[in-house]
Amino acid sequence: AAAAAIRFIECGEALEAGRDLAGALHYNGVANLDMFYDTRENQIRILEVNPRFWGSLRGSHVAGVSFPYLACLVALDLPLPAPGYRRARYIHPKTVFRPEVFTKLGRNSHDRFSLQETGLRYLLADPVAEALRGLGQEFSGARGRLLLEDH
């Protein structure tokens, strides 16, 4: 599942680790790299690589990067625009509706967030598609549970 909330930061070491890995693998495509900072060794560690779009893809869009758009430009052999990445926060729509989030709103300026930082704007822009997507996720999980219970 997508992360409940993400803070997009600038980290040259993470970018370098991703570039080094892609270069070593001769990889050219979409990939989700999960990383963490190892405080004992003072370096970035790569946990896993998934060659697919990811659950937090909308968060990347909030931070100014549309990976599907960039993939289309590459597929059409068109030039890529200069990166428009910016620091940002992204709060998953399910997280926004959690009671503890509502209790924090307005009490502390650090905890406040705008509609633009959440997935709610996508939900509001196309509610039918979002409802169908949610149902699909629910049924795919239910199907998996049924298959496990049958065996």
Side-chain angles (χ1 to χ4, degrees):
I6 303 167
R7 183 176 303 277
F8 291 88
I9 62 169
E10 294 177 32
C11 181
E13 291 175 55
L15 186 59
E16 184 178 338
R19 283 184 178 149
D20 289 348
L21 180 65
L25 296 174
H26 303 287
Y27 185 76
N28 180 359
V30 172
N32 176 28
L33 280 68
D34 286 343
M35 302 179 185
F36 75 96
Y37 188 78
D38 184 343
T39 56
R40 292 176 294 174
E41 299 292 327
N42 292 322
Q43 66 181 29
I44 295 291
R45 299 284 188 184
I46 297 175
L47 295 172
E48 68 175 339
V49 180
N50 293 299
R52 59 171 170 75
F53 289 117
W54 44 95
S56 60
L57 188 65
R58 288 181 173 161
S60 299
H61 188 256
V62 168
V65 180
S66 174
F67 285 100
Y69 173 70
L70 295 173
C72 289
L73 291 178
V74 169
L76 295 169
D77 201 24
L78 295 173
L80 297 175
Y85 172 84
R86 63 184 172 276
R87 293 179 186 180
R89 293 186 306 174
Y90 175 74
I91 296 92
H92 193 278
K94 290 180 183 177
T95 305
V96 173
F97 291 119
R98 290 186 180 160
E100 62 270 19
V101 172
F102 281 119
T103 60
K104 289 182 180 180
L105 288 175
R107 293 200 182 161
N108 180 333
S109 61
H110 177 72
D111 294 324
R112 291 182 187 178
F113 52 87
S114 71
L115 179 64
Q116 295 301 314
E117 294 177 301
T118 74
L120 290 176
R121 66 183 175 159
Y122 302 104
L123 181 95
L124 296 172
D126 196 349
V128 173
E130 290 300 309
L132 291 173
R133 189 172 71 82
L135 285 171
Q137 289 174 346
E138 185 61 35
F139 284 122
S140 67
R143 181 173 169 249
R145 286 190 301 273
L146 289 173
L147 289 174
L148 288 174
E149 291 171 2
D150 288 344
H151 290 79

